[in-house]
Amino acid sequence: MKRGLDPKTGYARYAAEYDELEKFWDSFEQDKLRPYIAETKDMKVLDAGAGTGRVSLRLHEAGAEVTALDISPEMLAKLNQKNPEIEVVEGDMEHMPFEDDRFDMVFSSLAMVHLKKPDQFLDECYRVLKDDGIVVLVNIHYRKSMMLHDGQGRYTIQAYNHFPRHLVKAAEKLAFGVEHDEILTEGDDVWVSQVLVLKK
Ligand SMILES: C[S@@+](CC[C@H](N)C(=O)[O-])C[C@H]1O[C@@H](n2cnc3c(N)ncnc32)[C@H](O)[C@@H]1O
């Protein structure tokens, strides 16, 4: 269901404040990316939907050669201010501006929630990955839109709920192997995110 501003318009407005909630964004991962980030030394790694670089900066620190892709130039400008050595590319995760077999790993955290067609994104991951390449995804559970505010008023950004089981099926259909599929919860029952690791 369509809700709020499209991500390019929405994140143009939200870019200035995004980093204020870094701990909140981290909480969807519960530190589960750390071992995968640690493996990336000297690898060509794509961070898809990289935003202001929360994950890209950690990959860079681990020694990866990082390409940060995002649809929002305002979010990428923030990343670039923090570390101009990281390559930033403006573009759409569902139609990536990269040649086939380019990357050793693709990371994408908290961004799939904005995609209408996550299957199309998985297909693109398969295409841009080298053989035996790995995808590390954090699929957050969309329950209701965050209400954001700025000088122009209140707004939300379009988001969609992607059921964990659907993503696994879509990945398997593309011939990805599922290396890890973990549902992270809050309290006893409510799932907050899925950490999905796939191998080409
Ligand atoms: C919640 S932020 C996550 C940023 C970063 N990955 C992180 O974990 O902090 C979502 C990001 O996805 C980007 N995004 C949304 N739809 C996109 C698309 N179709 N292609 C590329 N980036 C997209 C937004 O511009 C935004 O920067």
Side-chain angles (χ1 to χ4, degrees):
M1 189 191 302
K2 191 175 166 182
R3 295 179 170 88
L5 300 176
D6 69 85
K8 191 176 167 89
T9 309
Y11 280 97
R13 286 174 67 172
Y14 192 42
E17 288 167 65
Y18 183 82
D19 288 341
E20 288 170 17
L21 293 187
E22 180 155 349
K23 287 208 173 99
F24 177 62
W25 309 128
D26 279 348
S27 73
F28 289 97
E29 289 166 6
Q30 298 176 10
D31 228 12
K32 301 287 179 181
L33 299 194
R34 189 194 290 264
Y36 299 102
I37 291 173
E39 282 174 17
T40 60
K41 188 165 167 41
D42 297 328
M43 289 188 182
K44 287 190 195 314
V45 178
L46 172 66
D47 185 10
T52 61
R54 194 178 58 84
V55 175
S56 295
L57 291 160
R58 294 170 193 175
L59 288 163
H60 180 80
E61 259 176 44
E65 191 185 310
V66 185
T67 300
L69 173 75
D70 203 281
I71 205 159
S72 165
E74 291 82 1
M75 293 290 274
L76 290 177
K78 291 271 167 197
L79 191 167
N80 192 249
Q81 280 165 14
K82 294 179 205 168
N83 189 332
E85 282 177 24
I86 296 176
E87 180 190 23
V88 295
V89 177
E90 191 183 328
D92 187 345
M93 293 160 64
E94 290 175 349
H95 306 278
M96 294 191 202
F98 305 116
E99 72 275 16
D100 298 357
D101 306 321
R102 171 162 168 178
F103 297 103
D104 299 296
M105 289 184 88
V106 177
F107 281 73
S108 186
S109 191
L110 321 184
M112 290 183 78
V113 70
H114 294 298
L115 302 183
K116 281 182 203 154
K117 296 181 185 161
D119 307 30
Q120 167 75 27
F121 166 61
L122 291 176
D123 199 5
E124 281 289 83
C125 288
Y126 199 91
R127 183 182 67 75
V128 302
L129 271 177
K130 296 177 188 172
D131 287 346
D132 296 327
I134 298 283
V135 192
V136 181
L137 302 171
V138 181
N139 170 34
I140 59 176
H141 183 186
Y142 169 75
R143 278 169 281 179
K144 70 175 179 146
S145 298
M146 260 175 91
M147 185 57 71
L148 303 168
H149 309 254
D150 64 9
Q152 299 172 60
R154 284 147 52 101
Y155 64 99
T156 58
I157 303 176
Q158 283 168 11
Y160 307 86
N161 194 22
H162 303 306
F163 288 105
R165 144 179 111 251
H166 169 88
L167 291 188
V168 169
K169 269 194 187 164
E172 286 174 340
K173 209 168 152 191
L174 287 164
F176 272 119
V178 177
E179 299 266 294
H180 188 76
D181 177 17
E182 185 171 1
I183 304 296
L184 306 182
T185 56
E186 198 178 56
D188 290 337
D189 46 4
V190 184
W191 74 278
V192 294
S193 59
Q194 171 189 28
V195 177
L196 186 59
V197 181
L198 308 171
K199 183 167 184 174
K200 178 170 172 179

